[in-house]
Amino acid sequence: MKYKHLYVVTRRDLFPGYQGVQSQHALAEFAFQYPEEFKTWRRESNYLAWLSVGDEDDLKKLAIKIGRADVKLVAFFEPDVQFQMTAIAIEPGAKSDRLLKKLPLALKGIK
């Protein structure tokens, strides 16, 4: 499988800086939980796609959809906000591309 983008999805209802930090947590957790997949992605691609959904409910629904498609993902739950799901990182691949192609870029429209 040719690796492309490793995806990170966050929530638009979070402040922009918080979206960034939470996304970095999810990416770091993906690297920790899936070190071989992360190394392969890094070696073959190193492209990131930073996307967003509206809120925590949207993020949870997306995580379920991705999990049902048998795609590896890691969800990050932030202790500082009552362990809400704030971001997810999703493995690269054709399935991920199809599942995420309609999501907007993170921070889109913020000036």
Side-chain angles (χ1 to χ4, degrees):
M1 172 191 300
K2 182 162 173 83
Y3 276 64
K4 291 175 95 177
H5 294 87
L6 193 152
Y7 291 93
V8 180
V9 182
T10 189
R11 298 170 26 194
R12 287 187 299 276
D13 66 333
L14 301 174
F15 290 110
Y18 212 57
Q19 289 180 47
V21 171
Q22 298 307 303
S23 296
Q24 291 174 56
H25 278 301
L27 182 61
E29 193 60 30
F30 186 90
F32 180 75
Q33 288 191 29
Y34 298 108
E36 292 309 313
E37 290 83 349
F38 189 81
K39 288 177 192 175
T40 300
W41 163 78
R42 173 64 178 86
R43 184 177 56 253
E44 294 183 10
S45 166
N46 204 33
Y47 285 103
L48 282 171
W50 189 26
L51 308 174
S52 64
V53 295
D55 58 23
E56 186 182 22
D57 286 339
D58 294 337
L59 193 59
K60 287 178 177 179
K61 288 175 190 172
L62 180 62
I64 290 168
K65 181 179 177 181
I66 291 166
R68 286 184 178 152
D70 199 29
V71 173
K72 293 175 183 160
L73 79 141
V74 171
F76 186 75
F77 297 86
E78 175 55 60
D80 292 341
V81 291
Q82 295 76 42
F83 292 93
Q84 292 178 24
M85 183 186 292
T86 54
I88 57 176
I90 303 126
E91 74 173 314
K95 284 184 186 179
S96 300
D97 293 346
R98 282 192 303 276
L99 290 166
L100 302 169
K101 67 181 177 182
K102 293 186 180 181
L103 292 183
L105 294 172
L107 306 180
K108 186 175 181 178
I110 295 177
K111 298 183 184 216

